[in-house]
Coordinates of all heavy atoms in Angstrom, one line a residue:
D1 N -17.1 0.3 1.1 CA -17.4 1.3 0.1 C -18.5 1.0 -0.6 O -18.6 -0.1 -1.4 CB -16.2 1.3 -0.9 CG -16.2 2.5 -1.9 OD1 -17.3 2.9 -2.1 OD2 -15.1 2.6 -2.6
E2 N -19.6 1.7 -0.5 CA -20.8 1.4 -0.9 C -20.8 1.3 -2.6 O -21.6 0.7 -3.3 CB -22.0 2.4 -0.7 CG -21.9 3.8 -1.2 CD -23.1 4.6 -0.9 OE1 -24.1 4.0 -0.1 OE2 -23.2 5.8 -1.3
D3 N -19.7 2.0 -3.2 CA -19.7 2.0 -4.7 C -18.8 0.9 -5.1 O -18.4 0.9 -6.3 CB -19.2 3.3 -5.2 CG -20.1 4.4 -4.9 OD1 -21.3 4.2 -5.3 OD2 -19.8 5.6 -4.4
F4 N -18.3 -0.1 -4.4 CA -17.4 -1.1 -4.6 C -17.8 -1.9 -5.9 O -16.9 -2.1 -6.8 CB -16.9 -2.0 -3.5 CG -16.3 -3.3 -3.9 CD1 -15.1 -3.3 -4.4 CD2 -17.0 -4.5 -3.8 CE1 -14.4 -4.4 -4.8 CE2 -16.4 -5.7 -4.1 CZ -15.2 -5.7 -4.7
L5 N -19.0 -2.3 -5.9 CA -19.4 -3.2 -7.0 C -19.4 -2.5 -8.4 O -18.9 -3.0 -9.3 CB -21.0 -3.5 -6.8 CG -21.2 -4.4 -5.6 CD1 -22.7 -4.7 -5.3 CD2 -20.4 -5.7 -5.7
T6 N -19.7 -1.1 -8.4 CA -19.5 -0.4 -9.6 C -18.1 -0.3 -9.9 O -17.6 -0.4 -11.1 CB -20.2 1.0 -9.6 OG1 -21.6 0.8 -9.1 CG2 -20.3 1.6 -10.9
K7 N -17.3 0.2 -9.1 CA -15.8 0.3 -9.2 C -15.2 -1.0 -9.8 O -14.3 -0.9 -10.7 CB -15.1 0.7 -7.9 CG -15.5 2.2 -7.6 CD -14.9 2.6 -6.3 CE -15.1 4.0 -5.7 NZ -14.5 4.3 -4.4
V8 N -15.6 -2.1 -9.2 CA -14.8 -3.2 -9.7 C -15.2 -3.7 -11.1 O -14.5 -4.4 -11.8 CB -15.0 -4.5 -8.6 CG1 -16.4 -5.1 -8.7 CG2 -14.0 -5.5 -8.7
W9 N -16.6 -3.5 -11.3 CA -17.1 -3.7 -12.6 C -16.2 -3.1 -13.7 O -15.7 -3.5 -14.7 CB -18.5 -3.4 -12.8 CG -19.2 -3.8 -14.1 CD1 -19.9 -4.9 -14.2 CD2 -19.2 -3.1 -15.4 NE1 -20.4 -5.0 -15.5 CE2 -19.9 -3.9 -16.2 CE3 -18.7 -1.9 -15.8 CZ2 -20.2 -3.5 -17.7 CZ3 -19.0 -1.6 -17.2 CH2 -19.6 -2.3 -18.0
Y10 N -16.0 -1.8 -13.6 CA -15.2 -0.8 -14.5 C -13.7 -1.2 -14.2 O -13.0 -1.0 -15.3 CB -15.5 0.6 -14.2 CG -16.7 1.1 -14.8 CD1 -18.0 1.1 -14.1 CD2 -16.8 1.4 -16.2 CE1 -19.2 1.4 -14.5 CE2 -18.0 1.7 -16.8 CZ -19.2 1.8 -16.1 OH -20.3 2.2 -16.6
A11 N -13.2 -1.6 -13.1 CA -11.9 -2.1 -13.1 C -11.6 -3.4 -14.0 O -10.5 -3.4 -14.7 CB -11.5 -2.4 -11.6
G12 N -12.4 -4.3 -14.0 CA -12.4 -5.4 -14.9 C -12.5 -4.9 -16.3 O -11.7 -5.4 -17.1
A13 N -13.4 -4.1 -16.6 CA -13.5 -3.6 -17.9 C -12.2 -2.9 -18.5 O -11.7 -3.1 -19.6 CB -14.7 -2.6 -18.1
Y14 N -11.6 -2.0 -17.7 CA -10.4 -1.3 -18.0 C -9.3 -2.3 -18.1 O -8.3 -2.1 -18.9 CB -10.2 -0.3 -17.0 CG -9.0 0.7 -17.4 CD1 -9.0 1.3 -18.6 CD2 -8.0 0.9 -16.4 CE1 -7.8 2.1 -18.9 CE2 -7.0 1.8 -16.7 CZ -6.8 2.4 -18.0 OH -5.9 3.2 -18.4
T15 N -9.2 -3.2 -17.3 CA -8.2 -4.3 -17.2 C -8.1 -4.9 -18.6 O -7.2 -5.1 -19.3 CB -8.4 -5.4 -16.2 OG1 -8.4 -4.8 -15.0 CG2 -7.4 -6.4 -16.3
V16 N -9.3 -5.3 -19.1 CA -9.4 -6.1 -20.4 C -9.0 -5.0 -21.5 O -8.3 -5.5 -22.5 CB -10.7 -6.7 -20.7 CG1 -10.8 -7.3 -22.0 CG2 -11.0 -7.7 -19.7
Q17 N -9.4 -3.9 -21.4 CA -9.1 -2.8 -22.3 C -7.5 -2.7 -22.4 O -7.1 -2.6 -23.6 CB -9.7 -1.5 -22.1 CG -9.9 -0.5 -23.1 CD -10.8 0.7 -22.8 OE1 -11.0 1.0 -21.6 NE2 -11.3 1.3 -23.8
T18 N -6.9 -2.6 -21.3 CA -5.4 -2.5 -21.3 C -4.6 -3.6 -21.9 O -3.6 -3.6 -22.2 CB -4.9 -2.2 -20.0 OG1 -5.0 -3.3 -19.1 CG2 -5.4 -1.0 -19.3
N19 N -5.5 -4.9 -22.0 CA -4.8 -6.0 -22.5 C -5.2 -6.1 -24.0 O -4.9 -7.3 -24.5 CB -5.5 -7.3 -21.7 CG -5.0 -7.4 -20.3 OD1 -5.5 -8.1 -19.6 ND2 -4.2 -6.4 -19.8
T20 N -5.8 -5.3 -24.6 CA -6.1 -5.2 -26.1 C -5.1 -4.4 -26.8 O -5.1 -3.1 -26.6 CB -7.6 -4.8 -26.3 OG1 -8.4 -5.6 -25.5 CG2 -7.9 -4.8 -27.7
V21 N -4.2 -5.0 -27.5 CA -3.1 -4.3 -27.8 C -2.7 -4.4 -29.4 O -3.2 -5.3 -30.2 CB -1.8 -4.9 -27.2 CG1 -2.0 -4.7 -25.7 CG2 -1.6 -6.4 -27.6
P22 N -1.9 -3.5 -29.9 CA -1.5 -3.6 -31.4 C -0.8 -4.8 -31.6 O 0.0 -5.5 -30.8 CB -0.6 -2.3 -31.4 CG -1.0 -1.5 -30.4 CD -1.3 -2.3 -29.3
L23 N -0.8 -5.3 -33.0 CA -0.4 -6.6 -33.3 C 1.3 -6.7 -33.0 O 1.6 -7.8 -32.6 CB -0.5 -6.7 -34.8 CG -0.1 -8.0 -35.5 CD1 -0.8 -9.2 -34.8 CD2 -0.3 -8.0 -37.0
D24 N 2.1 -5.7 -33.3 CA 3.4 -5.8 -33.2 C 4.0 -5.3 -31.8 O 5.0 -4.7 -31.8 CB 4.2 -5.2 -34.3 CG 3.8 -5.9 -35.7 OD1 4.0 -7.2 -35.7 OD2 3.5 -5.3 -36.6
T25 N 3.4 -5.6 -30.7 CA 3.9 -5.1 -29.5 C 4.0 -6.3 -28.5 O 3.8 -6.0 -27.2 CB 3.0 -4.0 -28.8 OG1 1.5 -4.6 -28.8 CG2 2.7 -2.8 -29.8
G26 N 4.2 -7.6 -28.8 CA 4.4 -8.6 -28.0 C 5.8 -8.6 -27.3 O 6.8 -8.0 -27.8
R27 N 6.0 -9.4 -26.3 CA 7.3 -9.5 -25.6 C 8.1 -10.4 -26.5 O 7.8 -11.5 -26.8 CB 7.0 -10.2 -24.2 CG 8.3 -10.4 -23.4 CD 8.1 -10.9 -21.9 NE 7.2 -12.1 -22.0 CZ 7.3 -13.0 -20.9 NH1 7.9 -12.8 -19.9 NH2 6.6 -14.1 -20.9
K28 N 9.4 -9.7 -26.8 CA 10.3 -10.5 -27.7 C 10.7 -11.9 -27.0 O 11.0 -11.8 -25.8 CB 11.4 -9.6 -27.9 CG 12.4 -10.1 -29.0 CD 11.8 -10.3 -30.4 CE 11.7 -8.9 -31.1 NZ 13.0 -8.3 -31.4
V29 N 10.8 -12.9 -27.8 CA 11.2 -14.2 -27.4 C 12.4 -14.5 -28.6 O 12.1 -14.5 -29.6 CB 10.2 -15.3 -27.3 CG1 10.8 -16.6 -27.0 CG2 9.3 -14.9 -26.3
P30 N 13.4 -15.0 -28.1 CA 14.1 -15.1 -26.7 C 14.1 -13.7 -26.0 O 14.0 -12.6 -26.7 CB 15.6 -15.5 -26.9 CG 15.5 -16.1 -28.3 CD 14.6 -15.5 -29.1
F31 N 13.9 -13.9 -24.7 CA 13.7 -12.6 -23.9 C 14.9 -11.7 -24.0 O 16.0 -12.1 -24.3 CB 13.3 -13.0 -22.5 CG 12.3 -13.9 -22.3 CD1 12.4 -15.1 -21.6 CD2 11.1 -13.7 -22.9 CE1 11.4 -16.0 -21.5 CE2 9.9 -14.4 -22.7 CZ 10.1 -15.7 -22.0
A32 N 14.7 -10.4 -23.9 CA 15.8 -9.5 -23.9 C 16.8 -9.8 -22.9 O 16.5 -10.2 -21.8 CB 15.1 -8.0 -23.8
P33 N 18.1 -9.3 -23.1 CA 19.1 -9.5 -22.2 C 18.8 -8.8 -20.8 O 18.0 -7.9 -20.8 CB 20.3 -9.0 -22.9 CG 20.0 -9.0 -24.4 CD 18.4 -8.7 -24.3
Q34 N 19.4 -9.3 -19.7 CA 19.3 -8.7 -18.5 C 19.6 -7.2 -18.5 O 20.6 -6.8 -19.1 CB 20.1 -9.5 -17.5 CG 19.8 -8.9 -16.0 CD 20.2 -10.0 -14.9 OE1 20.6 -11.0 -15.2 NE2 20.0 -9.5 -13.7
G35 N 18.8 -6.4 -17.9 CA 19.0 -5.0 -17.9 C 18.2 -4.3 -19.0 O 18.4 -3.1 -19.3
S36 N 17.2 -5.0 -19.7 CA 16.4 -4.4 -20.7 C 15.1 -5.2 -21.0 O 15.0 -6.1 -20.3 CB 17.3 -4.5 -22.2 OG 17.6 -5.8 -22.4
W37 N 14.4 -4.6 -21.8 CA 13.1 -5.2 -22.2 C 12.8 -4.9 -23.8 O 13.4 -3.9 -24.2 CB 12.1 -4.9 -21.3 CG 11.6 -3.4 -21.4 CD1 10.8 -2.8 -22.3 CD2 12.1 -2.5 -20.6 NE1 10.8 -1.5 -22.0 CE2 11.5 -1.2 -21.0 CE3 13.1 -2.4 -19.5 CZ2 11.9 0.0 -20.4 CZ3 13.3 -1.2 -18.9 CH2 12.8 -0.1 -19.4
E38 N 12.1 -5.7 -24.4 CA 11.8 -5.6 -25.8 C 10.3 -5.9 -26.0 O 9.8 -7.1 -25.7 CB 12.6 -6.4 -26.7 CG 14.0 -5.9 -26.7 CD 14.9 -6.7 -27.7 OE1 14.4 -7.1 -28.6 OE2 16.1 -7.0 -27.2
N39 N 9.5 -5.1 -26.6 CA 8.0 -5.3 -26.8 C 7.6 -5.0 -28.2 O 6.9 -4.1 -28.5 CB 7.2 -4.6 -25.8 CG 7.1 -5.3 -24.5 OD1 7.0 -6.4 -24.3 ND2 7.2 -4.4 -23.4
D40 N 8.4 -5.6 -29.3 CA 8.0 -5.3 -30.7 C 7.8 -6.7 -31.4 O 8.1 -6.7 -32.6 CB 9.1 -4.5 -31.3 CG 10.5 -5.0 -31.2 OD1 10.6 -6.2 -30.6 OD2 11.4 -4.6 -31.9
A41 N 7.4 -7.7 -30.7 CA 7.2 -9.1 -31.4 C 5.7 -9.1 -31.9 O 4.9 -8.5 -31.3 CB 7.5 -10.2 -30.5
R42 N 5.7 -9.9 -33.0 CA 4.3 -9.9 -33.6 C 3.5 -11.1 -32.8 O 4.1 -12.2 -32.4 CB 4.5 -10.5 -35.1 CG 3.1 -10.9 -35.8 CD 3.1 -10.5 -37.1 NE 3.2 -9.0 -37.5 CZ 2.8 -8.5 -38.6 NH1 2.3 -9.2 -39.6 NH2 3.0 -7.2 -38.8
L43 N 2.2 -10.8 -32.5 CA 1.4 -11.6 -31.6 C 0.5 -12.6 -32.3 O -0.2 -13.4 -31.6 CB 0.6 -10.6 -30.9 CG 1.5 -9.8 -29.7 CD1 0.5 -8.5 -29.2 CD2 1.9 -10.8 -28.6

């Protein structure tokens, strides 16, 4: 794919963007019970 280099540059940029999050949206510890998840912990 001749555009691969440009695509992977932007894929990396978007990856880091999705990893930039609000303060109170961390994975809760102790972890949520089996069958659930919680993402409201302070980071």
Side-chain angles (χ1 to χ4, degrees):
D1 181 345
E2 67 172 4
D3 294 315
F4 162 66
L5 296 174
T6 307
K7 290 178 179 178
V8 78
W9 191 96
Y10 279 96
Y14 186 51
T15 297
V16 175
Q17 202 173 18
T18 68
N19 295 176
T20 303
V21 303
L23 181 61
D24 293 315
T25 61
R27 179 175 58 161
K28 185 68 71 67
V29 177
F31 305 126
Q34 188 161 357
S36 63
W37 63 88
E38 296 179 37
N39 282 319
D40 60 352
R42 177 149 292 201
L43 289 162

